[in-house]
Amino acid sequence: MGKVILTGDRPTGRLHIGHYVGSLRRRVELQNSGKYDEIYVFIADAQALTDNIDNPEKVRQNVIEVALDYLSVGLDPAKTTIFIQSQIPELTELSFYFMDLVTVARLQRNPTVKQEMALRGFNDNIDGDGKASAEKADNKKGTPVGFFTYPISQAADITAFKANIVPVGEDQEPMIEQAREIVRKFNSVYGDVLVEPEILLPENSACLRLPGTDGKAKMSKSLGNCIYLSDSAEDVWEKVRGMFTDPGHLQVSDPGKVEGNTVFTYLDAFCRPEHFEKFKDAFVGKKSSFEFHSLDEVKAQYRAGGLGDMMLKKFLYEVLEDTLAPIRERRAKYEQDIPGVYKMLEEGCRKARAKASQTLDEVRKAMKINYFDDKELIEQQALSFRK
Ligand code: TRP
């Protein structure tokens, strides 16, 4: 059996360096490793709509932003099929069949969905009159059924492509488990058609989740603590300049803390050995004898005292820009050819659909709902009815 990778993102915002470190960088490596037979990366617009019904423009705008982010980090349409979820109707069809294989109670146990519901203030306590309490309140936020069932639709996304490797973050583990259960159930009832996927978690746990520039646990649009892949160099510097470090590190000569210091967390994620030679000038200034050969040396100096936050941030800026500048350059090029980007997406959708529709043919056959294709069965039935 071939090695098939599939993963995707909800288009609810532009992608940031947390996405880059947590997933995009790895996807490009996987793509270029030549070890995989098929790679699918898709924009989960239908999933984004499950909690954005009022906001179709936002989702639409972010479809193109995410596509630009994909191309700019180096996903290559010649090697990776990039497509848009809603354009593959087979996924909706498969989700509908899968709904019969999952119980409401099972969905209610999904910890990620539970958390996400709490985060969005969804509340479905049903009162005596049959109305959800949230519907009576001003905010009127009950859980949309589509949102509640998105793990099922996600299982369809994965299995329609017979993907066996799904690179995602830890929070997606319950979705992959759900998909595996559905596959086992489907195959046991209808015969061996679908493939059980394996999760591929990020390698480096320090990279699992890059904190926001304010030091808060997560980069998030609503907290305004993200560095976007599409930020200008000036934006990046402004954000790095204002970054959270060690609040106790007041004077350059003071000893500083490395743990919990966001600048060091980012350096851990982005700094490479060659950066010390390349950017040694960033340290020229107050102490021209300042030279480092490894991140460990920088950390030791910071801990001992004598390394100022500004100098450190200047270095981080150079390190980040080493990765971000080429991404930004590629993005600028694609931004000048938006019709070309849509063409690429359309071609990706065409390829993706060909594969999904092949799987659905097998699914319908296994489920005995391929009424018009099974000539033999029609013949047999005709015979049995003939007097
Ligand atoms: N739920 C994923 C996210 O929020 C996006 C997604 C949808 C996905 N379908 C998928 C990821 C299938 C991997 C496989 O990031």
Side-chain angles (χ1 to χ4, degrees), residues 240-291:
V240 169
R241 205 165 62 96
M243 250 168 100
F244 179 83
T245 57
D246 168 11
H249 187 237
L250 300 174
Q251 312 262 3
V252 173
S253 56
D254 289 344
K257 274 204 205 94
V258 167
E259 285 69 32
N261 185 325
T262 316
V263 176
F264 280 105
T265 313
Y266 283 26
L267 283 172
D268 280 331
F270 283 93
C271 187
R272 294 193 300 271
E274 70 264 26
H275 287 153
F276 295 94
E277 179 57 29
K278 198 166 171 186
F279 302 127
K280 61 178 192 288
D281 291 350
F283 287 91
V284 175
K286 300 194 179 84
K287 284 192 181 177
S288 51
S289 62
F290 247 96
E291 265 206 31

Tab-separated table of all heavy atoms in Angstrom, residues 240-291:
chain	number	residue	atom	x	y	z
A	240	VAL	N	8.994	42.004	17.564
A	240	VAL	CA	10.124	41.432	18.305
A	240	VAL	C	10.576	42.430	19.372
A	240	VAL	O	10.855	42.072	20.518
A	240	VAL	CB	11.290	41.059	17.356
A	240	VAL	CG1	12.553	40.734	18.145
A	240	VAL	CG2	10.895	39.882	16.474
A	241	ARG	N	10.618	43.703	19.005
A	241	ARG	CA	11.059	44.745	19.929
A	241	ARG	C	10.181	44.781	21.187
A	241	ARG	O	10.653	44.980	22.294
A	241	ARG	CB	11.006	46.109	19.232
A	241	ARG	CG	11.944	47.141	19.805
A	241	ARG	CD	12.084	48.296	18.839
A	241	ARG	NE	10.805	48.966	18.625
A	241	ARG	CZ	10.429	50.065	19.293
A	241	ARG	NH1	11.211	50.613	20.185
A	241	ARG	NH2	9.251	50.601	19.048
A	242	GLY	N	8.884	44.545	20.986
A	242	GLY	CA	7.959	44.614	22.120
A	242	GLY	C	7.777	43.280	22.835
A	242	GLY	O	6.882	43.146	23.679
A	243	MET	N	8.601	42.306	22.484
A	243	MET	CA	8.365	40.968	23.021
A	243	MET	C	8.632	40.838	24.518
A	243	MET	O	9.486	41.514	25.071
A	243	MET	CB	9.283	39.977	22.295
A	243	MET	CG	8.539	39.069	21.386
A	243	MET	SD	9.679	38.209	20.329
A	243	MET	CE	9.754	36.677	21.183
A	244	PHE	N	7.896	39.897	25.093
A	244	PHE	CA	8.045	39.552	26.500
A	244	PHE	C	9.378	38.820	26.704
A	244	PHE	O	9.707	37.913	25.960
A	244	PHE	CB	6.888	38.636	26.897
A	244	PHE	CG	6.923	38.167	28.315
A	244	PHE	CD1	6.426	38.955	29.344
A	244	PHE	CD2	7.472	36.932	28.629
A	244	PHE	CE1	6.464	38.507	30.658
A	244	PHE	CE2	7.517	36.488	29.937
A	244	PHE	CZ	7.011	37.285	30.952
A	245	THR	N	10.155	39.271	27.721
A	245	THR	CA	11.406	38.546	28.017
A	245	THR	C	11.373	38.079	29.467
A	245	THR	O	10.477	37.355	29.849
A	245	THR	CB	12.648	39.427	27.749
A	245	THR	OG1	12.555	40.626	28.523
A	245	THR	CG2	12.767	39.783	26.274
A	246	ASP	N	12.346	38.498	30.241
A	246	ASP	CA	12.333	38.209	31.676
A	246	ASP	C	12.069	39.521	32.398
A	246	ASP	O	12.906	40.415	32.374
A	246	ASP	CB	13.692	37.616	32.083
A	246	ASP	CG	13.856	37.574	33.601
A	246	ASP	OD1	12.853	37.798	34.326
A	246	ASP	OD2	14.981	37.331	34.061
A	247	PRO	N	10.903	39.650	33.018
A	247	PRO	CA	10.547	40.933	33.648
A	247	PRO	C	11.538	41.346	34.741
A	247	PRO	O	11.634	42.531	35.089
A	247	PRO	CB	9.159	40.681	34.249
A	247	PRO	CG	8.766	39.300	33.902
A	247	PRO	CD	9.884	38.608	33.213
A	248	GLY	N	12.302	40.391	35.267
A	248	GLY	CA	13.272	40.715	36.312
A	248	GLY	C	14.612	41.180	35.759
A	248	GLY	O	15.502	41.600	36.503
A	249	HIS	N	14.764	41.123	34.445
A	249	HIS	CA	16.039	41.467	33.812
A	249	HIS	C	16.015	42.947	33.453
A	249	HIS	O	15.666	43.325	32.328
A	249	HIS	CB	16.220	40.596	32.565
A	249	HIS	CG	17.553	40.727	31.927
A	249	HIS	ND1	17.717	41.096	30.611
A	249	HIS	CD2	18.805	40.534	32.405
A	249	HIS	CE1	19.004	41.121	30.320
A	249	HIS	NE2	19.676	40.781	31.388
A	250	LEU	N	16.382	43.814	34.408
A	250	LEU	CA	16.208	45.249	34.199
A	250	LEU	C	17.445	45.905	33.609
A	250	LEU	O	17.363	46.711	32.693
A	250	LEU	CB	15.806	45.917	35.520
A	250	LEU	CG	14.487	45.380	36.112
A	250	LEU	CD1	14.229	45.968	37.486
A	250	LEU	CD2	13.309	45.646	35.169
A	251	GLN	N	18.589	45.583	34.169
A	251	GLN	CA	19.851	46.144	33.674
A	251	GLN	C	20.560	45.089	32.836
A	251	GLN	O	20.438	43.900	33.123
A	251	GLN	CB	20.775	46.468	34.859
A	251	GLN	CG	20.112	47.234	35.958
A	251	GLN	CD	20.383	48.716	35.860
A	251	GLN	OE1	21.031	49.184	34.912
A	251	GLN	NE2	19.892	49.471	36.817
A	252	VAL	N	21.329	45.572	31.879
A	252	VAL	CA	22.086	44.644	31.042
A	252	VAL	C	22.940	43.710	31.908
A	252	VAL	O	23.061	42.514	31.643
A	252	VAL	CB	22.988	45.413	30.051
A	252	VAL	CG1	23.904	44.467	29.287
A	252	VAL	CG2	22.144	46.224	29.073
A	253	SER	N	23.478	44.271	32.966
A	253	SER	CA	24.393	43.477	33.804
A	253	SER	C	23.669	42.478	34.711
A	253	SER	O	24.294	41.586	35.276
A	253	SER	CB	25.248	44.416	34.660
A	253	SER	OG	24.382	45.253	35.411
A	254	ASP	N	22.345	42.626	34.849
A	254	ASP	CA	21.600	41.688	35.703
A	254	ASP	C	21.598	40.290	35.103
A	254	ASP	O	21.522	40.137	33.890
A	254	ASP	CB	20.125	42.128	35.833
A	254	ASP	CG	19.966	43.374	36.672
A	254	ASP	OD1	20.920	43.719	37.402
A	254	ASP	OD2	18.901	44.013	36.567
A	255	PRO	N	21.618	39.281	35.959
A	255	PRO	CA	21.410	37.920	35.446
A	255	PRO	C	19.971	37.793	34.929
A	255	PRO	O	19.057	38.368	35.520
A	255	PRO	CB	21.622	37.023	36.673
A	255	PRO	CG	22.148	37.902	37.755
A	255	PRO	CD	21.824	39.318	37.420
A	256	GLY	N	19.798	37.055	33.849
A	256	GLY	CA	18.457	36.922	33.262
A	256	GLY	C	17.993	35.473	33.233
A	256	GLY	O	18.791	34.549	33.334
A	257	LYS	N	16.692	35.319	33.110
A	257	LYS	CA	16.122	33.966	33.034
A	257	LYS	C	15.901	33.573	31.576
A	257	LYS	O	15.373	34.352	30.789
A	257	LYS	CB	14.769	33.929	33.749
A	257	LYS	CG	14.866	33.679	35.224
A	257	LYS	CD	13.525	33.070	35.710
A	257	LYS	CE	13.296	33.350	37.177
A	257	LYS	NZ	12.495	34.551	37.464
A	258	VAL	N	16.262	32.348	31.276
A	258	VAL	CA	16.081	31.827	29.921
A	258	VAL	C	14.754	31.074	29.814
A	258	VAL	O	14.015	31.198	28.842
A	258	VAL	CB	17.270	30.898	29.553
A	258	VAL	CG1	16.976	30.102	28.299
A	258	VAL	CG2	18.545	31.728	29.393
A	259	GLU	N	14.429	30.339	30.878
A	259	GLU	CA	13.181	29.571	30.883
A	259	GLU	C	11.995	30.539	30.934
A	259	GLU	O	11.994	31.485	31.731
A	259	GLU	CB	13.115	28.632	32.097
A	259	GLU	CG	14.013	27.416	31.970
A	259	GLU	CD	15.512	27.755	32.044
A	259	GLU	OE1	15.883	28.723	32.757
A	259	GLU	OE2	16.299	27.078	31.343
A	260	GLY	N	11.019	30.298	30.095
A	260	GLY	CA	9.836	31.163	30.074
A	260	GLY	C	10.100	32.502	29.402
A	260	GLY	O	9.237	33.364	29.376
A	261	ASN	N	11.319	32.668	28.874
A	261	ASN	CA	11.654	33.900	28.162
A	261	ASN	C	11.343	33.683	26.675
A	261	ASN	O	11.990	32.888	25.995
A	261	ASN	CB	13.142	34.200	28.384
A	261	ASN	CG	13.575	35.515	27.781
A	261	ASN	OD1	13.081	35.912	26.734
A	261	ASN	ND2	14.500	36.188	28.443
A	262	THR	N	10.342	34.413	26.213
A	262	THR	CA	9.821	34.147	24.867
A	262	THR	C	10.896	34.266	23.782
A	262	THR	O	10.903	33.511	22.811
A	262	THR	CB	8.665	35.111	24.556
A	262	THR	OG1	7.832	35.172	25.714
A	262	THR	CG2	7.844	34.645	23.392
A	263	VAL	N	11.809	35.222	23.957
A	263	VAL	CA	12.858	35.404	22.937
A	263	VAL	C	13.660	34.118	22.783
A	263	VAL	O	13.969	33.685	21.668
A	263	VAL	CB	13.774	36.594	23.306
A	263	VAL	CG1	14.919	36.704	22.299
A	263	VAL	CG2	12.980	37.892	23.332
A	264	PHE	N	13.954	33.471	23.902
A	264	PHE	CA	14.719	32.215	23.818
A	264	PHE	C	13.871	31.065	23.253
A	264	PHE	O	14.390	30.219	22.539
A	264	PHE	CB	15.314	31.850	25.180
A	264	PHE	CG	16.571	32.620	25.466
A	264	PHE	CD1	16.570	33.674	26.379
A	264	PHE	CD2	17.760	32.326	24.801
A	264	PHE	CE1	17.728	34.406	26.622
A	264	PHE	CE2	18.924	33.046	25.035
A	264	PHE	CZ	18.904	34.098	25.954
A	265	THR	N	12.582	31.069	23.591
A	265	THR	CA	11.721	30.027	23.008
A	265	THR	C	11.729	30.136	21.488
A	265	THR	O	11.803	29.134	20.772
A	265	THR	CB	10.273	30.173	23.530
A	265	THR	OG1	10.305	30.353	24.935
A	265	THR	CG2	9.441	28.955	23.182
A	266	TYR	N	11.654	31.364	20.989
A	266	TYR	CA	11.667	31.570	19.534
A	266	TYR	C	13.030	31.188	18.949
A	266	TYR	O	13.116	30.618	17.869
A	266	TYR	CB	11.345	33.022	19.185
A	266	TYR	CG	9.875	33.395	19.287
A	266	TYR	CD1	9.016	32.716	20.138
A	266	TYR	CD2	9.355	34.429	18.524
A	266	TYR	CE1	7.680	33.065	20.239
A	266	TYR	CE2	8.021	34.792	18.601
A	266	TYR	CZ	7.183	34.103	19.473
A	266	TYR	OH	5.868	34.460	19.546
A	267	LEU	N	14.101	31.563	19.691
A	267	LEU	CA	15.437	31.195	19.191
A	267	LEU	C	15.573	29.676	19.115
A	267	LEU	O	16.117	29.136	18.151
A	267	LEU	CB	16.533	31.797	20.078
A	267	LEU	CG	16.804	33.289	19.861
A	267	LEU	CD1	17.770	33.822	20.921
A	267	LEU	CD2	17.361	33.572	18.461
A	268	ASP	N	15.055	28.984	20.145
A	268	ASP	CA	15.099	27.513	20.123
A	268	ASP	C	14.428	26.968	18.862
A	268	ASP	O	14.864	25.979	18.296
A	268	ASP	CB	14.388	26.921	21.356
A	268	ASP	CG	15.280	26.952	22.592
A	268	ASP	OD1	16.518	26.888	22.423
A	268	ASP	OD2	14.740	27.033	23.713
A	269	ALA	N	13.365	27.638	18.451
A	269	ALA	CA	12.600	27.135	17.311
A	269	ALA	C	13.211	27.529	15.959
A	269	ALA	O	13.047	26.817	14.979
A	269	ALA	CB	11.158	27.631	17.395
A	270	PHE	N	13.902	28.670	15.902
A	270	PHE	CA	14.334	29.188	14.593
A	270	PHE	C	15.841	29.259	14.372
A	270	PHE	O	16.304	29.373	13.241
A	270	PHE	CB	13.752	30.593	14.362
A	270	PHE	CG	12.303	30.594	13.985
A	270	PHE	CD1	11.311	30.728	14.962
A	270	PHE	CD2	11.917	30.457	12.666
A	270	PHE	CE1	9.973	30.722	14.620
A	270	PHE	CE2	10.580	30.457	12.306
A	270	PHE	CZ	9.599	30.584	13.281
A	271	CYS	N	16.628	29.266	15.462
A	271	CYS	CA	18.065	29.506	15.320
A	271	CYS	C	18.778	28.263	14.784
A	271	CYS	O	18.514	27.146	15.229
A	271	CYS	CB	18.635	29.896	16.681
A	271	CYS	SG	20.338	30.407	16.568
A	272	ARG	N	19.647	28.476	13.806
A	272	ARG	CA	20.445	27.370	13.259
A	272	ARG	C	21.932	27.675	13.473
A	272	ARG	O	22.314	28.850	13.592
A	272	ARG	CB	20.152	27.204	11.764
A	272	ARG	CG	18.727	26.744	11.472
A	272	ARG	CD	18.583	26.280	10.026
A	272	ARG	NE	18.905	27.327	9.072
A	272	ARG	CZ	18.011	28.202	8.607
A	272	ARG	NH1	16.758	28.162	9.011
A	272	ARG	NH2	18.377	29.122	7.728
A	273	PRO	N	22.780	26.644	13.511
A	273	PRO	CA	24.198	26.857	13.814
A	273	PRO	C	24.848	27.938	12.938
A	273	PRO	O	25.645	28.743	13.440
A	273	PRO	CB	24.830	25.489	13.539
A	273	PRO	CG	23.722	24.502	13.714
A	273	PRO	CD	22.464	25.209	13.335
A	274	GLU	N	24.482	28.002	11.663
A	274	GLU	CA	25.151	28.969	10.783
A	274	GLU	C	24.792	30.425	11.091
A	274	GLU	O	25.461	31.346	10.635
A	274	GLU	CB	24.873	28.637	9.310
A	274	GLU	CG	23.449	28.888	8.833
A	274	GLU	CD	22.575	27.622	8.881
A	274	GLU	OE1	22.874	26.718	9.708
A	274	GLU	OE2	21.590	27.544	8.117
A	275	HIS	N	23.763	30.622	11.882
A	275	HIS	CA	23.349	31.994	12.182
A	275	HIS	C	24.380	32.769	12.994
A	275	HIS	O	24.426	33.989	12.931
A	275	HIS	CB	22.003	31.989	12.923
A	275	HIS	CG	20.851	31.642	12.033
A	275	HIS	ND1	19.697	31.064	12.501
A	275	HIS	CD2	20.670	31.788	10.700
A	275	HIS	CE1	18.864	30.867	11.499
A	275	HIS	NE2	19.439	31.292	10.394
A	276	PHE	N	25.206	32.069	13.762
A	276	PHE	CA	26.139	32.791	14.638
A	276	PHE	C	27.206	33.505	13.838
A	276	PHE	O	27.561	34.648	14.130
A	276	PHE	CB	26.724	31.839	15.683
A	276	PHE	CG	25.648	31.341	16.597
A	276	PHE	CD1	24.997	30.150	16.347
A	276	PHE	CD2	25.220	32.124	17.644
A	276	PHE	CE1	23.962	29.723	17.145
A	276	PHE	CE2	24.179	31.715	18.458
A	276	PHE	CZ	23.547	30.499	18.209
A	277	GLU	N	27.676	32.842	12.784
A	277	GLU	CA	28.661	33.479	11.911
A	277	GLU	C	27.963	34.568	11.080
A	277	GLU	O	28.426	35.701	10.991
A	277	GLU	CB	29.293	32.400	11.017
A	277	GLU	CG	30.327	32.890	10.036
A	277	GLU	CD	31.479	33.624	10.708
A	277	GLU	OE1	31.788	33.303	11.885
A	277	GLU	OE2	32.047	34.537	10.072
A	278	LYS	N	26.826	34.199	10.554
A	278	LYS	CA	26.115	35.087	9.631
A	278	LYS	C	25.694	36.416	10.283
A	278	LYS	O	25.721	37.452	9.645
A	278	LYS	CB	24.878	34.342	9.110
A	278	LYS	CG	24.256	34.912	7.850
A	278	LYS	CD	23.283	33.920	7.233
A	278	LYS	CE	22.491	34.531	6.105
A	278	LYS	NZ	21.444	33.616	5.602
A	279	PHE	N	25.288	36.354	11.543
A	279	PHE	CA	24.721	37.556	12.172
A	279	PHE	C	25.570	38.082	13.313
A	279	PHE	O	25.067	38.741	14.209
A	279	PHE	CB	23.305	37.277	12.677
A	279	PHE	CG	22.388	36.819	11.592
A	279	PHE	CD1	21.652	35.658	11.723
A	279	PHE	CD2	22.268	37.553	10.420
A	279	PHE	CE1	20.803	35.236	10.714
A	279	PHE	CE2	21.426	37.131	9.397
A	279	PHE	CZ	20.695	35.969	9.551
A	280	LYS	N	26.859	37.787	13.296
A	280	LYS	CA	27.638	38.216	14.462
A	280	LYS	C	27.631	39.731	14.602
A	280	LYS	O	27.769	40.248	15.694
A	280	LYS	CB	29.044	37.628	14.442
A	280	LYS	CG	29.919	37.994	13.277
A	280	LYS	CD	31.285	37.329	13.523
A	280	LYS	CE	32.347	37.833	12.580
A	280	LYS	NZ	32.206	37.362	11.207
A	281	ASP	N	27.387	40.430	13.496
A	281	ASP	CA	27.351	41.891	13.562
A	281	ASP	C	26.194	42.416	14.403
A	281	ASP	O	26.233	43.540	14.881
A	281	ASP	CB	27.240	42.477	12.152
A	281	ASP	CG	28.522	42.256	11.392
A	281	ASP	OD1	29.506	41.843	12.038
A	281	ASP	OD2	28.527	42.475	10.163
A	282	ALA	N	25.165	41.621	14.548
A	282	ALA	CA	24.033	42.054	15.356
A	282	ALA	C	24.477	42.302	16.790
A	282	ALA	O	23.820	43.004	17.541
A	282	ALA	CB	22.929	40.998	15.326
A	283	PHE	N	25.592	41.700	17.149
A	283	PHE	CA	26.081	41.849	18.515
A	283	PHE	C	27.148	42.924	18.646
A	283	PHE	O	27.581	43.236	19.730
A	283	PHE	CB	26.651	40.512	19.016
A	283	PHE	CG	25.580	39.533	19.303
A	283	PHE	CD1	25.142	38.658	18.329
A	283	PHE	CD2	24.969	39.513	20.542
A	283	PHE	CE1	24.125	37.769	18.586
A	283	PHE	CE2	23.954	38.628	20.809
A	283	PHE	CZ	23.525	37.747	19.829
A	284	VAL	N	27.594	43.448	17.530
A	284	VAL	CA	28.599	44.500	17.608
A	284	VAL	C	27.910	45.744	18.129
A	284	VAL	O	26.821	46.087	17.720
A	284	VAL	CB	29.242	44.766	16.228
A	284	VAL	CG1	30.188	45.955	16.301
A	284	VAL	CG2	29.971	43.521	15.762
A	285	GLY	N	28.533	46.402	19.040
A	285	GLY	CA	27.890	47.570	19.609
A	285	GLY	C	28.552	47.842	20.927
A	285	GLY	O	29.762	48.067	20.995
A	286	LYS	N	27.734	47.735	21.944
A	286	LYS	CA	28.248	48.112	23.260
A	286	LYS	C	29.492	47.315	23.624
A	286	LYS	O	30.448	47.844	24.147
A	286	LYS	CB	27.158	47.896	24.295
A	286	LYS	CG	25.947	48.756	23.957
A	286	LYS	CD	24.994	48.829	25.115
A	286	LYS	CE	23.807	49.706	24.782
A	286	LYS	NZ	22.745	49.023	24.062
A	287	LYS	N	29.443	46.024	23.346
A	287	LYS	CA	30.609	45.203	23.686
A	287	LYS	C	31.058	44.500	22.419
A	287	LYS	O	30.469	43.509	21.999
A	287	LYS	CB	30.234	44.153	24.734
A	287	LYS	CG	30.100	44.718	26.130
A	287	LYS	CD	30.012	43.589	27.129
A	287	LYS	CE	29.858	44.159	28.536
A	287	LYS	NZ	29.699	43.120	29.527
A	288	SER	N	32.073	45.023	21.799
A	288	SER	CA	32.424	44.480	20.485
A	288	SER	C	33.082	43.111	20.596
A	288	SER	O	33.210	42.398	19.610
A	288	SER	CB	33.338	45.443	19.739
A	288	SER	OG	34.412	45.785	20.585
A	289	SER	N	33.483	42.733	21.804
A	289	SER	CA	34.101	41.416	21.954
A	289	SER	C	33.042	40.305	22.001
A	289	SER	O	33.362	39.142	22.103
A	289	SER	CB	34.944	41.375	23.226
A	289	SER	OG	34.108	41.594	24.339
A	290	PHE	N	31.770	40.716	21.946
A	290	PHE	CA	30.670	39.765	22.009
A	290	PHE	C	30.643	38.840	20.805
A	290	PHE	O	30.382	39.262	19.686
A	290	PHE	CB	29.357	40.556	22.001
A	290	PHE	CG	28.617	40.442	23.285
A	290	PHE	CD1	28.746	41.397	24.255
A	290	PHE	CD2	27.776	39.364	23.503
A	290	PHE	CE1	28.044	41.295	25.441
A	290	PHE	CE2	27.070	39.257	24.679
A	290	PHE	CZ	27.221	40.230	25.661
A	291	GLU	N	30.902	37.596	21.013
A	291	GLU	CA	30.778	36.654	19.890
A	291	GLU	C	30.302	35.330	20.420
A	291	GLU	O	30.798	34.850	21.427
A	291	GLU	CB	32.119	36.493	19.174
A	291	GLU	CG	32.225	37.415	18.002
A	291	GLU	CD	33.180	36.880	16.939
A	291	GLU	OE1	33.274	35.641	16.810
A	291	GLU	OE2	33.813	37.706	16.291
